[in-house]
């Protein structure tokens, strides 16, 4: 059991790392970190003493004054090194540096000098250190106009705005889930690398990424169609895009019914990929689900009866309630990292169609049980 602390625990990469570690409670114990610890040496020292591994992600990415970025990031490193020295820590330190290290800007300079400060601490103390040079990261829940141009594009396309390309260059990218797995592999190996370049997993022109996202908006956001997702990058980009909806306002989406004397016909899903489609009946008062996925795309379509579908992002308290009635057939799609359930709240059997983008595999189910 390794005890792991993450500075920047609530940030973009930090929250994904924290939540992913939580999927393996038999291997990792997460030591809670709060930003205020940097202002309180006693609390910081207590945090450091508990950790076998510290992943230092806390940093400032953007500010109108580059000097503020530089000073902030260096101060954070020096403060943590001071605590490591006071406590005599032998923790394995992993530091998130950036591919901007070699660029002529103060953010890149702060990352390079911060990495060197940690390496010097490890040399003096005999501690373990891994410096990670990380390419551009994208993924769900990144802040628009801050973490990634992809976050900015996704937000604008789902909020009636038009993205603008400032520089249509080739960008080396890594999905946040892939980066988290790289970090975990370094934690498990416990090897030291003063400088390890995390390999990018895709390389795309900015205009190519925007074109894909515009296609997702047109097909999925506006019409509910699952687009063709030919590559892992496409799947990761699509799952990123889905998380920028105003989910509580978007769902449930009502189907178009075609009614004639024989009855009604409803198209449940149109898609450019395959997957698995299932049907269930649920007796009154019963709840199904209470689990979440980290990669799967899933749709619940109610065609008969009354249902309450609930969603909650796993590290938040807000529960989103959606009421569906088979008299007006509708669906709700499940964003990744949102635990979800469906309950029959009517007096008759509930009929639900479930679609998911990959067949169930018991050895890699990507299904984690958690009460909404």
């Amino acid at each position: 059991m390794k005890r792991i602390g993450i500075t920047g625990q609530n940030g973009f990469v930090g929250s994904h790392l924290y939540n992913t570690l939580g999927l393996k409670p038999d291997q990792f114990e997460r030591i809670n970190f709060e930003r205020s610890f940097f202002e309180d040496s006693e609390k910081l020292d207590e945090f450091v003493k508990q950790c076998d591994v510290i992943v230092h992600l806390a940093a400032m990415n953007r500010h109108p004054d580059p000097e503020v970025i530089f000073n902030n990031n260096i101060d954070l490193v020096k403060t943590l090194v001071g605590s490591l020295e006071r406590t005599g820590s032998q923790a394995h330190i992993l530091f998130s540096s950036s591919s901007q290290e070699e660029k002529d800007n103060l953010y890149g300079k702060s990352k390079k000098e911060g990495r060197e400060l940690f390496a010097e601490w490890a040399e003096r103390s005999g501690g373990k250190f891994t410096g990670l040079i990380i390419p551009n990261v994208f993924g769900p829940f990144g802040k628009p106009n801050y973490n990634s141009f992809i976050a900015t594009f996704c937000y604008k396309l789902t909020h009636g705005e038009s993205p603008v390309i400032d520089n249509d260059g080739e960008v080396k990218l890594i999905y946040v889930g892939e980066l988290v797995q790289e970090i975990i592999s370094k934690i498990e190996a416990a090897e030291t690398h003063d400088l390890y370049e995390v390999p990018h997993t895709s390389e795309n022109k900015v205009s190519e990424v925007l074109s894909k996202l515009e296609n997702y908006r047109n097909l999925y956001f506006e019409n509910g169609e699952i687009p063709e997702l030919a590559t892992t990058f496409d799947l990761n980009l699509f799952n990123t895009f889905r998380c920028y909806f105003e989910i509580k306002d978007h769902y449930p989406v009502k189907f178009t019914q075609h009614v004639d004397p024989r009855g009604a016909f409803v198209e449940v899903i149109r898609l450019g990929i395959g997957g698995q489609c299932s049907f269930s009946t649920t007796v009154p008062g019963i709840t199904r689900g209470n689990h979440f996925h980290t990669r799967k795309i899933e749709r619940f379509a109610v065609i008969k009866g009354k249902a309450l579908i609930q969603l909650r992002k796993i590290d938040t308290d807000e529960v989103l309630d959606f009421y569906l009635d088979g008299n007006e057939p509708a669906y709700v799609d499940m964003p990744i990292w949102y635990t979800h359930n469906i309950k029959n709240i009517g007096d008759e059997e509930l009929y639900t169609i479930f679609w998911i983008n990959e067949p169930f595999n018991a050895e890699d189910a990507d299904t984690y049980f958690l009460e909404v």
Side-chain angles (χ1 to χ4, degrees), residues 108-166:
K109 185 180 179 184
S110 75
K111 285 295 188 179
K112 183 175 182 179
E113 293 191 12
R115 181 174 58 79
E116 291 169 347
L117 287 170
F118 278 123
E120 291 166 5
W121 163 80
E123 183 74 23
R124 290 194 306 271
S125 67
K128 293 180 178 179
F129 172 65
T130 300
L132 304 171
I133 307 297
I134 299 173
N136 293 279
V137 188
F138 75 98
F141 320 122
K143 293 181 181 178
N145 303 309
Y146 188 78
N147 286 126
S148 162
F149 75 93
I150 290 177
T152 305
F153 285 0
C154 289
Y155 180 85
K156 287 181 178 293
L157 288 170
T158 54
H159 290 77
E161 300 179 40
S162 299
V164 175
I165 296 175
D166 295 325

Side-chain angles (χ1 to χ4, degrees), residues 1-19:
M1 175 77 74
K2 288 190 175 182
R3 298 174 299 171
I4 301 172
I6 306 165
T7 72
Q9 173 182 306
N10 296 321
F12 171 44
V13 175
S15 61
H16 278 278
L17 176 59
Y18 184 85
N19 289 332

Side-chain angles (χ1 to χ4, degrees), residues 83-99:
S83 182
L84 293 168
E85 291 178 333
R86 286 193 301 273
T87 59
S89 174
Q90 292 294 297
H92 180 190
I93 307 300
L94 293 93
F95 174 61
S96 66
S97 189
S98 165
S99 53

Side-chain angles (χ1 to χ4, degrees), residues 56-347:
H56 181 57
L57 300 175
M60 180 181 289
N61 295 342
R62 284 177 170 77
H63 190 278
D65 184 352
E67 289 283 352
V68 173
I69 296 175
F70 178 83
N71 292 331
N72 178 84
N73 292 347
I74 293 297
D75 286 347
L76 293 177
V77 172
K78 288 180 177 178
T79 300
L80 182 54
V81 167
S83 182
L84 293 168
E85 291 178 333
R86 286 193 301 273
T87 59
S89 174
Q90 292 294 297
H92 180 190
I93 307 300
L94 293 93
F95 174 61
S96 66
S97 189
S98 165
S99 53
Q100 293 195 48
E101 265 202 20
E102 299 306 321
K103 292 186 177 180
D104 185 23
N105 64 60
L106 285 172
Y107 171 73
K109 185 180 179 184
S110 75
K111 285 295 188 179
K112 183 175 182 179
E113 293 191 12
R115 181 174 58 79
E116 291 169 347
L117 287 170
F118 278 123
E120 291 166 5
W121 163 80
E123 183 74 23
R124 290 194 306 271
S125 67
K128 293 180 178 179
F129 172 65
T130 300
L132 304 171
I133 307 297
I134 299 173
N136 293 279
V137 188
F138 75 98
F141 320 122
K143 293 181 181 178
N145 303 309
Y146 188 78
N147 286 126
S148 162
F149 75 93
I150 290 177
T152 305
F153 285 0
C154 289
Y155 180 85
K156 287 181 178 293
L157 288 170
T158 54
H159 290 77
E161 300 179 40
S162 299
V164 175
I165 296 175
D166 295 325
N167 178 19
D168 191 18
E170 293 274 351
V171 183
K172 295 177 179 179
L173 295 164
I174 187 169
Y175 180 60
V176 66
E178 296 167 331
L179 173 59
V180 163
Q181 291 306 319
E182 280 277 353
I183 294 172
I184 291 174
S185 71
K186 292 293 177 286
I187 291 172
E188 292 174 332
E191 297 173 352
T192 59
H193 304 271
D194 284 358
L195 192 156
Y196 172 75
E197 291 198 25
V198 176
H200 62 280
T201 54
S202 62
E203 187 168 356
N204 302 270
K205 291 192 71 172
V206 174
S207 58
E208 293 171 347
V209 174
L210 179 56
S211 178
K212 288 177 182 288
L213 292 172
E214 288 174 334
N215 185 48
Y216 299 163
R217 177 196 59 192
N218 297 337
L219 290 180
Y220 181 67
F221 183 66
E222 296 180 356
N223 295 297
E225 178 177 340
I226 308 296
E228 181 179 1
L229 303 171
T231 67
T232 300
F233 172 74
D234 290 343
L235 174 63
N236 291 335
L237 186 66
F238 180 62
N239 271 331
T240 299
F241 176 77
R242 295 199 302 135
C243 290
Y244 288 87
F245 294 13
E246 296 296 336
I247 292 170
K248 61 185 177 183
D249 299 325
H250 189 77
Y251 295 111
V253 178
K254 293 183 179 179
F255 289 109
T256 300
Q257 293 192 75
H258 303 277
V259 181
D260 62 25
R262 298 169 299 172
F265 172 81
V266 172
E267 181 182 289
V268 173
I269 191 166
R270 183 172 293 192
L271 57 151
I273 55 177
Q276 178 175 305
C277 194
S278 309
F279 170 82
S280 78
T281 64
T282 305
V283 299
I286 295 298
T287 299
R288 295 178 179 273
N290 283 316
H291 61 243
F292 66 93
H293 311 293
T294 68
R295 68 170 186 269
K296 287 181 175 179
I297 310 164
E298 190 172 30
R299 175 168 294 183
F300 288 7
V302 170
I303 59 171
K304 182 176 182 290
K306 298 180 186 296
L308 168 62
I309 294 176
Q310 295 182 301
L311 278 69
R312 177 176 65 83
K313 187 169 176 285
I314 70 164
D315 50 3
T316 67
D317 297 323
E318 182 184 15
V319 176
L320 306 180
D321 292 338
F322 301 106
Y323 293 89
L324 288 76
D325 189 327
N327 290 323
E328 294 183 288
Y331 71 86
V332 176
D333 287 352
M334 309 301 141
I336 56 175
W337 292 104
Y338 276 72
T339 188
H340 49 267
N341 64 29
I342 181 169
K343 181 178 182 178
N344 184 346
I345 58 172
D347 299 324

Side-chain angles (χ1 to χ4, degrees), residues 34-45:
E34 296 177 15
R35 176 67 187 233
S36 61
F37 291 179
F38 280 121
E39 311 298 329
D40 187 324
S41 59
E42 289 186 8
K43 289 183 178 178
L44 183 60
D45 290 355

